[in-house]
Amino acid sequence: MDALAQYLAKPWLRHYQKGVPATVEVPLKSVPQAFDEACARDPGRRAVVFYGREITYRELREATDRLAHALAELGLKKGDRVALFLLNSPQFIIAYFAVLKCGATVTPISPVYTSHEVRYQLADSGARAVICQDILWEKVAKSGAALDFTVLTNVNEYLPALRRLLGKKAPAIPAAPDRHWLQDLLRAHPPQPPAAPIDPKTDIAVLPYTGGTTGHPKGVMLTHYNLIAAQAASQAAFPAFEFGKEVVLAFLPFFHIYGQVVIMLGGLTQGSLLVLFTNPDTEAILAAMERYQATVFYGVPTLYEYLKDHKDTNKADWKRLKLVLSGADTLHESTMKGWAKRTGSNIIEGYGLSETCSASHVNPLDRPKAGSFGCPVPNMLAAVLNPETRTFVPQGETGELVLAGPNVMLGYWGKPEETARTFIEAGGVRWMLTGDIVRMDEEGYFHFYDRSKDLIKYKGYSIFAKDVEDVLYGHPQVKAAGVIGVPDPAVGQLIKAIVVLQGDARGKLSEDQIKVYCRERLAEYKVPHLVEFRGELPKTDVGKVSRRELREEH
């Protein structure tokens, strides 16, 4: 059997949980259609709880229909782009589906972006309008972007009365003809959305932007069909989930593909209750788990690392949950073991990209494998190739992960050359190159090594930054670590470890002690040449250590 045939044989299917199919039919429908159908099944059911304020599916649908009507009257039409510059809130959900009901495209912007970054995304996407939190409006104003109109909203609008009294006062924003307030629009327009025809396979629903780890961020073109395919695969991967029965803690940011597709879209199209937070307040999240009897918990590795040692973690019954899932970064084995010891539950690791509408892989619930991000979800093909020769490598060998399936993006917005470089044809399949170095074992489980750009070249050796970081995270006095290559004319790159120590170890552990610890666990050529101690490390929007920022400092 040649290398490609090994992957096309899908060895992972043997280890799927009982009840998970190899393939699943993707319904040909739009995202707002799927949302409306879920609302119609049980309109009186709670859709969102926002700091005590309850919103039913009926109320949520009516608000989206009112806003869709208003946006259409403001001139929004099919194919236009609208930026959402919002915190996690009911307003994000309402704006998201309202824009889609107009046949337009949502481009979500990170609330932590500077005005310079906001300007880039607004200009690159060609957004005609922005729906914006009032506390973020100044960044839009400073960006100088040419917009047809702006819709403003305040987080207090959907808070209970007592919390509104305690909330922050809204900033004074001068009135202007092209400036509208969300609540005014909802009051002034009936719940009659425009009849915008949508072709699920070709119309772009969402235009998220990549993190810009190499050059400028790129807009990822995701169609309605891509998003519905992601939902169908995710549903199939977790047969224990029941329509209208799940309670999901929604604190991961909705502007990010993980929070947006897995939590918001996945939850609302399945009639779940979203317990919504504007930010990941640990105490509030743990209290809400018990109060609302959460059934599903989605997190990122840095959160689990923090929670495994948190004083209140035992207040929640983690064993009751149907799923505790980690994504968006590599879960270190020390975190996984510490979590299981503390809570008696297992973290299930998955993998995904903006380009695949989030999840492409997940560990089977009844057969997770430590150190693996799991098996491809139903409908997904995955393989490994040599990034230099573009030939497929046999199972067990490392190379670049390539993916194919109905949830894979159309391409990058306005970047045909970049899109062409990202896809290859082989075996009658259109494969997307991910830039991630992985291997597939003999059972069809995939193991992550590194981003190809994070490979460190030292004296002809290729060192994975993750290999060194995994060892550092195993040190009982290391809280966090980032490993990068520092240019050196004599050897190519030196290995540098930037380390954050636990509070009681600061000033007591030396660089040499770190090197000795690594030398006992790594081949000599992988041992860091340089060690720097810091109080904290730069992080991405979803809490990953940002190696890009560490590299840029050099």
Side-chain angles (χ1 to χ4, degrees):
M1 186 184 292
D2 68 18
L4 177 55
Q6 291 178 337
Y7 301 103
L8 294 177
K10 300 182 180 179
W12 52 83
L13 295 180
R14 297 194 302 273
H15 308 294
Y16 268 13
Q17 182 185 351
K18 187 179 178 183
V20 177
T23 59
V24 61
E25 185 181 349
V26 180
L28 197 62
K29 64 174 71 168
S30 71
V31 171
Q33 183 184 342
F35 169 71
D36 284 351
E37 287 172 358
C39 293
R41 279 183 68 172
D42 191 0
R45 179 174 165 72
R46 293 179 302 174
V48 172
V49 174
F50 188 55
Y51 298 99
R53 166 76 184 273
E54 297 182 354
I55 303 169
T56 65
Y57 273 89
R58 180 185 292 108
E59 292 170 305
L60 202 57
R61 178 177 179 177
E62 182 181 312
T64 66
D65 287 349
R66 288 180 183 275
L67 184 57
H69 186 157
L71 293 174
E73 280 207 354
L74 288 170
L76 192 69
K77 58 186 187 302
K78 179 172 172 161
D80 289 341
R81 274 79 60 206
V82 177
L84 301 192
F85 197 28
L86 298 163
L87 303 172
N88 277 21
S89 56
Q91 293 95 313
F92 190 108
I93 298 168
I94 292 163
Y96 186 92
F97 289 106
V99 170
L100 296 184
K101 285 182 177 185
C102 293
T105 298
V106 167
T107 184
I109 301 179
S110 166
V112 302
Y113 268 13
T114 64
S115 57
H116 176 79
E117 291 166 312
V118 170
R119 179 171 66 245
Y120 172 80
Q121 187 167 334
L122 290 174
D124 189 75
S125 66
R128 283 192 58 200
V130 62
I131 301 175
C132 178
Q133 216 91 38
D134 53 3
I135 57 172
L136 301 173
W137 175 81
E138 192 176 344
K139 293 182 184 180
V140 176
K142 283 183 177 177
S143 77
L147 296 165
D148 291 351
F149 63 89
T150 303
V151 177
L152 293 159
T153 184
N154 180 279
V155 72
N156 285 346
E157 292 163 5
Y158 286 93
L159 287 175
L162 181 59
R163 279 194 176 264
R164 283 203 300 274
L165 289 172
L166 300 173
K168 288 182 182 177
K169 190 180 178 187
I173 298 173
D178 61 350
R179 216 166 283 152
H180 311 271
W181 284 90
L182 179 71
Q183 294 306 313
D184 293 341
L185 294 177
L186 295 183
R187 281 189 290 268
H189 293 83
Q192 294 165 357
I198 294 172
D199 181 340
K201 287 204 171 182
T202 60
D203 288 345
I204 301 166
V206 185
L207 195 64
Y209 273 68
T210 62
T213 48
T214 54
H216 280 304
K218 299 185 289 287
V220 177
M221 296 188 287
L222 300 177
T223 65
H224 290 261
Y225 186 76
N226 289 152
L227 292 163
I228 295 295
Q231 289 313 113
S234 175
Q235 245 176 278
F238 300 113
F241 289 1
E242 299 174 78
F243 185 93
K245 297 285 181 70
E246 308 310 328
V247 179
V248 185
L249 299 176
F251 56 85
L252 294 179
F254 286 172
F255 76 84
H256 188 272
I257 201 73
Y258 183 7
Q260 181 189 140
V261 174
V262 176
I263 297 176
M264 186 185 81
L265 268 181
L268 294 175
T269 56
Q270 282 304 297
S272 304
L273 170 62
L274 301 186
V275 183
L276 188 55
F277 298 88
T278 57
N279 63 344
D281 177 336
T282 314
E283 282 74 16
I285 289 166
L286 291 171
M289 275 189 67
E290 292 308 297
R291 180 177 177 185
Y292 296 102
Q293 293 291 288
T295 62
V296 188
F297 190 91
Y298 297 107
V300 294
T302 48
L303 178 68
Y304 291 116
E305 175 62 27
Y306 178 69
L307 282 177
K308 77 177 173 63
D309 300 317
H310 195 278
K311 62 182 176 63
D312 293 334
T313 296
N314 288 352
K315 291 180 180 178
D317 181 4
W318 296 93
K319 288 184 279 193
R320 188 194 69 240
L321 297 174
K322 293 182 180 180
L323 175 66
V324 179
L325 187 122
S326 178
D329 198 4
T330 303
L331 186 67
H332 293 281
E333 197 169 339
S334 59
T335 305
M336 195 181 289
K337 287 179 177 175
W339 177 267
K341 185 177 178 182
R342 177 78 189 273
T343 68
S345 71
N346 288 322
I347 303 172
I348 299 297
E349 191 170 4
Y351 168 94
L353 303 160
S354 297
E355 290 88 342
T356 61
C357 303
S358 199
S360 67
H361 290 67
V362 72
N363 268 280
L365 273 177
D366 57 350
R367 199 176 182 271
K369 189 178 283 194
S372 165
F373 58 81
C375 304
V377 296
N379 291 353
M380 179 60 70
L381 277 174
V384 184
L385 55 74
N386 183 315
E388 292 171 6
T389 63
R390 297 286 178 93
T391 56
F392 291 84
V393 302
Q395 66 182 36
E397 291 188 18
T398 59
E400 183 172 359
L401 176 66
V402 294
L403 299 169
N407 50 322
V408 173
M409 66 168 183
L410 284 184
Y412 293 113
W413 175 260
K415 292 180 171 56
E417 299 87 1
E418 190 83 30
T419 299
R421 283 196 295 271
T422 303
F423 288 93
I424 62 166
E425 297 276 344
V429 176
R430 181 181 184 245
W431 300 94
M432 187 191 79
L433 305 167
T434 66
D436 284 338
I437 304 300
V438 305
R439 70 174 172 87
M440 184 186 80
D441 66 25
E442 67 284 351
E443 294 186 314
Y445 286 68
F446 284 72
H447 302 256
F448 182 82
Y449 283 80
D450 233 323
R451 294 289 294 166
S452 56
K453 61 181 170 294
D454 289 330
L455 270 178
I456 300 167
K457 300 285 188 177
Y458 169 70
K459 288 187 175 178
Y461 290 108
S462 292
I463 296 113
F464 295 111
K466 178 181 174 293
D467 283 353
V468 185
E469 288 174 358
D470 282 347
V471 167
L472 291 168
Y473 272 95
H475 194 296
Q477 291 169 307
V478 170
K479 184 178 179 182
V483 172
I484 58 170
V486 177
D488 181 274
V491 296
Q493 289 177 303
L494 295 171
I495 304 167
K496 180 171 182 177
I498 300 96
V499 176
V500 178
L501 296 175
Q502 302 287 2
D504 57 357
R506 294 179 184 182
K508 298 176 184 176
L509 203 65
S510 70
E511 295 177 28
D512 284 342
Q513 286 173 300
I514 290 287
K515 290 178 185 178
V516 167
Y517 178 84
C518 290
R519 194 165 279 118
E520 291 169 353
R521 293 159 177 81
L522 290 167
E524 183 61 34
Y525 70 89
K526 295 182 181 179
V527 175
H529 306 99
L530 308 166
V531 178
E532 178 187 339
F533 295 113
R534 290 194 190 177
E536 60 180 351
L537 295 176
K539 300 278 180 64
T540 67
D541 294 334
V542 287
K544 293 184 195 180
V545 171
S546 177
R547 294 189 193 132
R548 175 179 62 83
E549 289 184 57
L550 292 174
R551 279 195 299 269
E552 284 175 355
E553 292 170 9
H554 289 272

